[in-house]
Amino acid sequence: GQQLNQSPQSMFIQEGEDVSMNCTSSSIFNTWLWYKQDPGEGPVLLIALYKAGELTSNGRLTAQFGITRKDSFLNISASIPSDVGIYFCAGPPQGGSEKLVFGKGMKLTVNP
Amino acid sequence: GAVVSQHPSWVICKSGTSVKIECRSLDFQATTMFWYRQFPKQSLMLMATSNEGSKATYEQGVEKDKFLINHASLTLSTLTVTSAHPEDSSFYICSARPSGGAYEQYFGPGTRLTVT
């Protein structure tokens, strides 16, 4: 089945630094979703992207839908301690399925 | 908006008993809900897709007789783990897709199940 390759798998940064992560697929996606999961909680939707080339911001978060429709990236600017968590990319596989395919996640640690 | 609740948030049960987990969309209707299982330090594993008023569609390898799903209304889906065993201990998370919406799913806070 379709898989999403998410990188890096983890990052350790200092408070105030920017961080970037990306997600790639071997096949085209029509929607890209970015989620954040805190320990012991369910994932929370951060940003949804629907069009190739689309650049969307949500506060300090910015995400882009790649032109090839096979990748997406998420940037966090001026990180703060509460940004700690696991970030997942996700998208619906081709074929009209309602299901989502998830990346393996990127664990972010922010040192105060 | 787009709030999903789960109950209970954690449960401990004895081996051989059954446990029911509820998933509710609080401020929207959801024709489709999903049940996931998550192992420590891993991504989410889809167990089944639940459609209101019809039978759930289970992923390969998921026992439908063990994990009973009922989607009785547009705001409620339940997962019953029957005859639970210690290997069923896990973090179970539901999500809901708004009716008429795009592909985004909104997740509940999860239920930690421990079978002793």
Side-chain angles (χ1 to χ4, degrees), chain A residues 9-105:
Chain A
Q9 293 183 354
S10 63
M11 286 195 73
F12 295 82
I13 61 173
Q14 292 297 123
E15 183 177 359
E17 291 183 341
D18 299 345
V19 60
S20 181
M21 63 195 85
N22 76 309
C23 208
T24 60
S25 170
S26 58
S27 56
I28 289 173
F29 273 64
N30 294 318
T31 299
W32 285 96
L33 305 171
W34 285 94
Y35 289 90
K36 182 196 176 196
Q37 185 177 26
D38 290 331
E41 298 288 333
V44 174
L45 181 64
L46 299 174
I47 291 180
L49 302 161
Y50 302 104
K51 294 182 181 179
E54 179 181 355
L55 184 70
T56 298
S57 293
N58 178 6
R60 294 179 295 105
L61 307 177
T62 301
Q64 185 159 28
F65 193 141
I67 292 291
T68 65
R69 296 166 67 188
K70 293 183 178 181
D71 63 340
S72 176
F73 71 76
L74 174 71
N75 284 342
I76 304 173
S77 63
S79 59
I80 59 178
S82 61
D83 290 334
V84 166
I86 300 178
Y87 293 79
F88 292 99
C89 59
Q94 287 186 307
S97 171
E98 295 182 287
K99 299 188 289 188
L100 292 178
V101 175
F102 284 83
K104 292 186 176 181

Side-chain angles (χ1 to χ4, degrees), chain B residues 56-112:
Chain B
T57 302
Y58 290 81
E59 294 300 298
Q60 190 173 8
V62 178
E63 298 176 59
K64 60 180 66 176
D65 294 330
K66 180 169 187 60
F67 298 100
L68 301 178
I69 292 172
N70 183 274
H71 195 153
S73 74
L74 288 174
T75 59
L76 172 64
S77 176
T78 61
L79 168 69
T80 301
V81 182
T82 64
S83 187
H85 291 285
E87 55 265 32
D88 298 325
S89 298
S90 191
F91 192 52
Y92 292 88
I93 314 174
C94 72
S95 71
R97 178 185 169 187
S99 300
Y103 289 99
E104 57 265 35
Q105 294 177 20
Y106 297 92
F107 286 84
T111 297
R112 172 72 58 191

Side-chain angles (χ1 to χ4, degrees), chain B residues 34-47:
Chain B
F34 304 84
W35 287 95
Y36 294 83
R37 186 172 178 177
Q38 188 175 36
F39 294 100
K41 299 184 180 181
Q42 293 191 21
S43 188
L44 294 88
M45 182 185 79
L46 180 65
M47 298 175 65

